[in-house]
Amino acid sequence: MAGLREGVRRRYWRWVARRIPPEKTSRLDRRRIFIFPSRAGFGYLLLIAVLWLMATNYENNLVYGFAALLVAVFVVTMFHSYANLSGLAITVARVWPAFAGDKARVDLSLCQAGSRHRDNIVLWFAGGEPVTAALASEEARVSLHVPAPRRGRLVPGRLTIESRYPLGLFRVWTHIRPSCSGLVYPRPLPGHPIATGVPARDEGPLQAEEGAEEFRGLARYRLGDSLHRVAWKAYAQGRGMFSKQFSDPAADKLWIDWYAFPGLDREARLSRLCHWVLEAASGHAPYGLRLPGLEWPPDRGDAHRDRLLESLALHEIDPEAGS
Amino acid sequence: MTAIRQLPRYGSLWLLIAFVASVLPHTGHLPPWISVAAAVAVAWRVQIFRGAWHYPGRWVKFALLCLCLAGLVLVYGRLYGLEPMVAMLVAAYALKLLEMRDKRDALIVVYLGFFVAVSLCLFDQSLVTAAIVLFALAAVTAGLAGIHQTDLHHRHFRPAMTGAMLLGQALPLMLVLFLVMPRLPPLWSVPMQRESGTTGMSDTLSPGDITQLGRSAEVAFRVEFADDVPPRRRLYWRGLVLSRFDGRTWSQWESWTYARDNIHMHGEAPPHWLAGQWGTGTSVAYRVTLEPTQQHWLYSLPIPQPLTAGTGVTRNYSLVRREPVVSETAYRVRSWQARPDASDSLSPLRRRVETHLPAGYNPRTQRIARQWAAEADDTEALVRRVLDTFRRDFFYTLNPPALGQHSVDEFLWDSRRGYCEHFASAFAFFMRAAGVPARVVVGYQGGEHHRAENYLIVRQYDAHAWAEVWLEGSGWVRVDPTVAVAPERIERSVVDVLEGEEGLFSASPLSLERFRSVAWLNTLRLRLDYLDYLWTKWVLGYREQQQSLLGDLLGRVEPWRIALFLLAGAGLALLPVLAWCFVQARPAFTRVEDRWYRHFCDRLAGIGLAREPGEAPGDFARRVAVREPAIVEPVKGITEAYERCRYGGDRAAGAELKARVRRFRPRWSRLFFYKDRKP
């Protein structure tokens, strides 16, 4: 029985996948929208059946009339339920990067041609939490979260959109696959670098090229402080906004090096490197990254940090393979 | 998916309103404590809504449930019956409302609300009730909409608007369904209303019964004749024939369930005792719309030929129906004015029944009857003598004195004041005592002719009782002693006869009948009655017309024609709904330049360059320029013209914009400058 059910379910998903291909913007139409009475809808039909029996046994034409009215409401509601999703265009505006094991935020934009009031639209990615949206004008933005279990490229996958508006008698739904992807950085793990035997390079993973930088401590952030010096980790932990104080805020150069973490496997190393990239990015000194076969020269700035994190995310990942 | 079970706060507000709207009309026939309990539930719920009180705990709920059940058993003594069941439904509705926490509870509350609202129709089917139920249904639908809408915080009335819109759009389809929906005969017998507001005629007759009806101005039935309305004195609406007398009460000898050979149903071949009656003499065809009586018998002029399925005629020439009349029912009859067949002699058994008298009652009447019978030449002479007596010194009154054990003796020789049932009963008793087969017939006599719309209104105060005696060679002959004592009762109306008498209309204190003498009020009364008649005829009694109406509409009643009619009608009825749902409403533009700019954007969208929502015209133009260098010039020109016109107030730029947009054909330009395109 369970096997049969599983088989039916697999066939259903295969059929849905064939019917609704991945696309950048999904405009919900007849092809994509499914509609079926909900459990409440079947309850409502049962109610009508009881009323009809009452009308028959009491030969009461008024009860017949109201039973007919409820049937008519059912039919009319079917169209309204369908119209709540029909004509809606869904585009993934952005998949925000996330660290492995976290949830990635996905920004969706819901658009429509007119200004119909669409209400109670529930959206969720497979494995994610449902979010309820309403649309009173031409456009609405919704943020969803999808689990990002592994490092690499994240394809959010199947997006289910469901609505029971206006009376809950019908379940109208669709499964679309927005073609979009995001990055999943390695999970940052703190760990001290170990000196390797290679001289000139390996005095540490964070080697200052000209003299070691000296981390002095944290001071409360003041307006005008460089954003590069903000202690983002402390901020993320909710302790408040602090600036890192260094003894010599001159142009130090740091190297974050793959080879400074011997004895660890690939993922563990990437996690350490990620941690240090974030640490270095919160400092002021230019920093570079060395990976097998790849070297980013020291630099500063958000774009530089994101480039480095991307290299870590995609290190030895088949560009074709999604998660 | 894990459904979001939480109830929107303002959704529960509409459930509360729905509760009040559907329970309030029921208070008239519910025990008072249920109404009080419902009010307490509403108050409690309001306090929960305000955050002042908590939900009732499990033990409190259990105690309330037990209390309600005990109360119901105490009041009704049983749980099976219409009133107890509705009362139970209302109690369940109140309890569920009180404990409602999430969407699933709310759904049960909504469905109970639908049920309670519609069940009001089982007690009353008037136009006003229909309006009340429609309002209650709209409120319940609003409640259902409220639990499925999210942003209610500033728009409390949105659920009500949604509910009203859905109901409004459903009305045309409802009409089609109502016309076509097949009406089956009842599948099983159901408990009926016990204590109805006005009592119709019962199947027994004791002194005072019809007097009671005489105080009510309720409509009993209405009749529409195919031709002219017959003269008043011929309008004897026969109901029941009562042959058994126990000293005080007349009742039927047969129960309504006649033996098969003593009843003829519509559609069967007429039996021998009817064969001679139909088709001879003159006939009158009419259609009766009967108010619910909860009884099996119908009213008709003698001698009825049933024309509606499910009705039949008994050997007493009474019209009966297979199912009790539990709601407004219409039936068609053709009555033949032929005399009952003289050759149909009375069987010995029937003769014994029709002359039986209980021993020990009314000795004086029995003695005098025997004496008069001996003095009379024949039965007709005896009848004449009794009627002469009535004519001389008897009074016709709605307020006769109470009678003791020997009711006929007291009435005939002592009080001499009575209503029609006293005269009919005394006359039949006297005849039986004289050895003549006699019986009492109850029904209605006369009716008010609605001249403007040409139909007859028969009211409860038209209730009447008269007698039939068996004359050898003539069969059963109607004798109405009331004619002897108060001929104007038959010629005019009981209202005219008893004008000013105490008790008239006392059972209908609000009836407009009281003001018949005020011309404009009388016109208004007749107008209202016609409205009520139309409602009764076309909505409540539609069952009987269904076949003929569908026949007129479809040519012939066949399943495929009905299906086709249903499809076409439903399609037509749903057209506005489809238009509403699928004609996308574009934002209305107040400025003409906005419209031209949208044309421009639409054309660009046609070649795959859709303007992002919220993208500024300038940004859009730059983006287009990067993608399609071939059309840089026109795009730039249009955008500039638009901006000058829209934001710079340059009216002249409007004309330029219009001209440029008209010329703008990005699809063609792209064809010609294909090579310039960037990859």
Side-chain angles (χ1 to χ4, degrees):
Chain A
M1 192 62 203
L4 184 72
R5 218 179 188 167
E6 195 50 45
V8 167
R9 182 161 300 183
R10 252 203 320 275
R11 286 176 76 99
Y12 170 70
W13 287 120
R14 261 214 305 278
W15 175 75
V16 167
R18 260 207 318 277
R19 191 176 168 89
I20 307 174
E23 55 206 337
K24 187 136 181 57
T25 295
S26 303
R27 194 167 288 279
L28 301 187
D29 56 11
R30 263 201 333 276
R31 203 180 150 70
R32 291 172 180 79
I33 298 179
F34 307 112
I35 180 165
F36 200 69
S38 63
R39 198 183 288 196
F42 281 112
Y44 182 88
L45 289 178
L46 190 71
L47 170 87
I48 292 173
V50 172
L51 284 182
W52 184 78
L53 272 181
M54 189 159 105
T56 303
N57 280 350
Y58 282 96
E59 293 187 86
N60 194 309
N61 253 346
L62 215 47
V63 179
Y64 267 116
F66 286 118
L69 180 64
L70 292 189
V71 171
V73 166
F74 190 75
V75 175
V76 168
T77 303
M78 181 172 75
F79 291 107
H80 283 270
S81 306
Y82 180 83
N84 196 41
L85 285 193
S86 166
L88 203 60
I90 291 124
T91 317
V92 171
R94 179 165 186 204
V95 185
W96 294 74
F99 296 104
D102 284 354
K103 290 196 161 162
R105 178 178 149 190
V106 183
D107 285 348
L108 295 178
S109 129
L110 312 182
C111 292
Q112 62 173 340
S115 53
R116 168 188 298 283
H117 195 134
R118 299 167 191 262
D119 199 352
N120 213 348
I121 301 170
V122 185
L123 309 100
W124 72 96
F125 278 106
E129 285 292 306
V131 167
T132 306
L135 196 62
S137 58
E138 287 198 310
E139 197 199 3
R141 290 197 172 251
V142 191
S143 292
L144 298 179
H145 288 86
V146 279
R150 274 187 309 280
R151 179 182 67 88
R153 213 169 262 293
L154 174 74
V155 178
R158 197 173 67 233
L159 171 65
T160 305
I161 304 170
E162 189 187 271
S163 148
R164 288 166 196 242
Y165 183 85
L167 294 188
L169 302 180
F170 285 90
R171 179 174 167 248
V172 187
W173 75 101
T174 182
H175 306 287
I176 56 172
R177 283 183 293 161
S179 45
C180 61
S181 68
L183 289 172
V184 183
Y185 303 147
R187 176 151 206 80
L189 286 176
H192 284 289
I194 296 151
T196 53
V198 188
R201 247 189 201 174
D202 296 318
E203 290 160 28
L206 303 172
Q207 293 172 330
E209 291 206 334
E210 293 165 40
E213 65 160 357
E214 198 166 307
F215 178 64
R216 234 175 34 193
L218 297 174
R220 187 157 287 283
Y221 177 82
R222 281 169 305 163
L223 214 64
D225 277 6
S226 163
L227 278 177
H228 298 294
R229 292 209 195 165
V230 171
W232 290 113
K233 269 192 80 171
Y235 181 65
Q237 287 160 2
R239 286 193 273 146
M241 215 152 165
F242 291 95
S243 287
K244 291 182 177 174
Q245 302 289 310
F246 294 93
S247 57
D248 179 15
D252 299 334
K253 285 187 178 169
L254 302 173
W255 279 100
I256 299 166
D257 197 337
W258 168 269
Y259 297 102
F261 299 92
L264 292 176
D265 68 10
R266 186 181 69 195
E267 296 304 317
R269 274 195 207 214
L270 288 169
S271 283
R272 288 345 182 253
L273 292 176
C274 181
H275 171 76
W276 286 111
V277 167
L278 294 175
E279 281 291 312
S282 63
H284 66 287
Y287 53 97
L289 175 67
R290 279 198 200 100
L291 289 173
L294 182 79
E295 191 172 298
W296 289 104
D299 196 356
R300 292 199 315 213
D302 287 350
H304 178 64
R305 180 197 62 202
D306 292 346
R307 261 197 309 276
L308 265 53
L309 287 172
E310 185 180 345
S311 312
L312 293 177
L314 300 178
H315 180 64
E316 289 180 12
I317 294 256
D318 181 4
E320 293 302 310
S323 83
Chain B
M1 176 209 157
T2 52
I4 297 154
R5 295 233 172 275
Q6 210 195 346
L7 203 58
R9 184 171 152 77
Y10 286 95
S12 63
L13 191 67
W14 281 101
L15 294 175
L16 207 62
I17 293 170
F19 180 85
V20 175
S22 48
V23 169
L24 203 59
H26 273 287
T27 45
H29 45 256
L30 286 179
W33 67 268
I34 288 253
S35 311
V36 173
V40 168
V42 168
W44 196 327
R45 191 71 218 183
V46 168
Q47 291 296 76
I48 293 175
F49 182 78
R50 294 177 54 214
W53 292 6
H54 289 287
Y55 287 96
R58 194 191 311 169
W59 287 107
V60 177
K61 278 192 286 188
F62 185 71
L64 286 176
L65 182 69
C66 290
L67 218 63
C68 282
L69 281 177
L72 287 173
V73 171
L74 219 65
V75 169
Y76 292 109
R78 68 204 198 287
L79 288 179
Y80 186 72
L82 185 59
E83 282 101 341
M85 285 199 311
V86 170
M88 202 152 63
L89 216 60
V90 171
Y93 191 17
L95 287 176
K96 197 71 204 171
L97 181 82
L98 200 53
E99 69 153 6
M100 174 180 68
R101 278 166 187 273
D102 58 17
K103 274 192 181 174
R104 185 192 298 250
D105 292 338
L107 266 186
I108 296 175
V109 165
V110 164
Y111 290 174
L112 277 172
F114 276 129
F115 213 83
V116 168
V118 175
S119 67
L120 190 65
C121 305
L122 297 181
F123 296 92
D124 182 33
Q125 292 197 76
S126 68
L127 194 58
V128 178
T129 307
I132 290 172
V133 173
L134 190 65
F135 176 77
L137 284 185
V140 176
T141 312
L144 188 57
I147 59 180
H148 289 99
Q149 294 184 347
T150 51
D151 53 343
L152 299 174
H153 299 281
H154 304 294
R155 307 175 68 179
H156 299 191
F157 280 95
R158 231 188 104 212
M161 265 135 69
T162 309
M165 177 199 67
L166 288 173
L167 243 52
Q169 293 185 350
L171 280 174
L173 182 59
M174 167 202 152
L175 193 67
V176 175
L177 289 172
F178 182 80
L179 286 180
V180 175
M181 199 189 274
R183 265 57 165 188
L184 300 182
L187 303 177
W188 65 82
S189 73
V190 282
M192 290 301 157
Q193 202 180 345
R194 268 283 176 79
E195 302 87 14
S196 55
T198 54
T199 47
M201 199 159 278
S202 79
D203 58 353
T204 60
L205 180 72
S206 309
D209 281 359
I210 292 193
T211 317
Q212 204 59 41
L213 289 179
R215 300 172 193 277
S216 167
E218 295 284 320
V219 171
F221 54 88
R222 296 183 179 93
V223 193
E224 215 172 304
F225 286 90
D227 304 311
D228 291 340
V229 177
R232 243 193 105 84
R233 61 175 193 286
R234 300 226 325 250
L235 294 176
Y236 276 87
W237 301 101
R238 283 173 104 248
L240 280 182
V241 175
L242 307 177
S243 298
R244 185 198 295 270
F245 186 57
D246 68 355
R248 179 168 188 83
T249 303
W250 289 87
S251 56
Q252 280 178 286
W253 183 58
E254 307 93 339
S255 86
W256 80 272
T257 43
Y258 292 84
R260 284 305 300 153
D261 54 343
N262 276 338
I263 185 164
H264 162 77
M265 295 304 287
H266 168 75
E268 296 171 346
H272 68 93
W273 46 271
L274 276 175
Q277 313 299 336
W278 296 347
T280 56
T282 58
S283 75
V284 50
Y286 51 93
R287 186 172 173 288
V288 181
T289 309
L290 184 62
E291 298 289 315
T293 61
Q294 324 291 341
Q295 310 285 8
H296 283 278
W297 65 85
L298 308 174
Y299 298 95
S300 63
L301 301 173
I303 293 162
Q305 176 184 4
L307 298 179
T308 295
T311 60
V313 56
T314 68
R315 192 128 190 199
N316 287 334
Y317 307 121
S318 311
L319 202 62
V320 292
R321 188 165 184 266
R322 194 178 279 129
E323 312 294 341
V325 181
V326 295
S327 69
E328 279 76 354
T329 302
Y331 55 90
R332 283 179 306 123
V333 191
R334 175 174 290 277
S335 285
W336 296 91
Q337 303 268 331
R339 287 223 134 189
D341 190 356
S343 65
D344 187 16
S345 63
L346 213 54
S347 68
L349 169 68
R350 283 216 68 98
R351 178 173 290 273
R352 220 176 61 229
V353 168
E354 307 288 7
T355 53
H356 173 79
L357 288 177
Y361 281 95
N362 307 314
R364 189 171 170 197
T365 309
Q366 298 209 22
R367 201 182 64 243
I368 294 173
R370 278 194 295 274
Q371 184 192 332
W372 286 18
E375 291 166 13
D377 297 336
D378 55 5
T379 314
E380 277 99 331
L382 180 62
V383 169
R384 267 199 305 279
R385 183 169 176 191
V386 177
L387 291 182
D388 282 343
T389 314
F390 282 155
R391 194 168 292 132
R392 269 203 308 279
D393 35 45
F394 278 75
F395 290 99
Y396 186 68
T397 171
L398 194 53
N399 298 298
L403 299 174
Q405 191 197 356
H406 302 293
S407 55
V408 177
D409 273 5
E410 286 175 37
F411 169 68
L412 279 182
W413 319 113
D414 193 17
S415 74
R416 302 188 178 200
R417 301 167 69 83
Y419 204 52
C420 53
E421 77 262 39
H422 300 89
F423 288 98
S425 169
F427 182 80
F429 185 91
F430 193 97
M431 283 297 142
R432 284 191 176 190
V436 180
R439 58 194 191 184
V440 171
V441 179
V442 289
Y444 294 85
Q445 203 285 324
E448 183 185 3
H449 186 192
H450 193 302
R451 290 186 194 281
E453 303 296 338
N454 200 32
Y455 67 93
L456 197 73
I457 312 163
V458 179
R459 294 198 168 76
Q460 293 299 352
Y461 60 58
D462 292 315
H464 193 50
W466 60 94
E468 285 180 349
V469 292
W470 178 268
L471 299 181
E472 294 303 334
S474 310
W476 287 107
V477 173
R478 180 179 68 228
V479 178
D480 186 357
T482 308
V483 179
V485 62
E488 65 278 15
R489 158 73 179 84
I490 308 304
E491 289 302 328
R492 302 218 302 281
S493 161
V494 67
V495 180
D496 296 337
V497 177
L498 300 175
E499 184 88 66
E501 185 153 354
E502 186 194 342
L504 187 67
F505 306 135
S506 62
S508 315
L510 296 178
S511 173
L512 280 175
E513 294 268 324
R514 289 165 172 272
F515 309 106
R516 287 165 84 107
S517 48
V518 186
W520 69 270
L521 272 178
N522 201 40
T523 314
L524 176 71
R525 177 181 69 86
L526 289 173
R527 286 269 162 79
L528 287 178
D529 188 87
Y530 184 57
L531 187 68
D532 192 48
Y533 177 50
L534 284 183
W535 172 255
T536 308
K537 178 179 165 188
W538 286 108
V539 178
L540 308 182
Y542 171 67
R543 176 184 295 263
E544 196 265 335
Q545 281 112 303
Q546 192 176 29
Q547 288 293 315
S548 60
L549 184 78
L550 288 181
D552 288 349
L553 281 176
L554 307 177
R556 210 164 338 126
V557 180
E558 288 167 354
W560 70 266
R561 282 180 195 246
I562 291 179
L564 209 66
F565 175 74
L566 185 62
L567 272 179
L572 215 63
L574 286 174
L575 264 183
V577 184
L578 289 174
W580 195 94
C581 283
F582 299 112
V583 175
Q584 297 284 349
R586 291 203 150 189
F589 294 114
T590 48
R591 289 162 168 270
V592 66
E593 60 265 26
D594 284 347
R595 209 165 63 226
W596 285 108
Y597 187 69
R598 180 180 271 284
H599 278 308
F600 162 73
C601 293
D602 285 349
R603 283 182 188 159
L604 281 175
I607 60 165
L609 278 168
R611 182 178 164 217
E612 295 286 330
E615 193 175 19
D619 295 343
F620 182 45
R622 275 187 287 283
R623 193 157 64 84
V624 172
V626 171
R627 282 278 307 278
E628 297 283 347
I631 50 173
V632 167
E633 275 313 308
V635 167
K636 215 172 140 199
I638 288 170
T639 306
E640 277 170 14
Y642 174 62
E643 283 176 335
R644 271 212 313 281
C645 181
R646 183 76 172 78
Y647 307 111
D650 181 0
R651 305 307 310 166
E656 186 196 337
L657 173 71
K658 183 176 164 184
R660 277 178 176 270
V661 172
R662 275 190 169 165
R663 281 203 307 273
F664 184 60
R665 292 276 182 269
R667 215 180 278 268
W668 299 351
S669 326
R670 210 165 63 159
L671 274 178
F672 298 137
F673 298 95
Y674 189 72
K675 279 178 194 139
D676 292 345
R677 255 181 103 204
K678 286 195 176 176

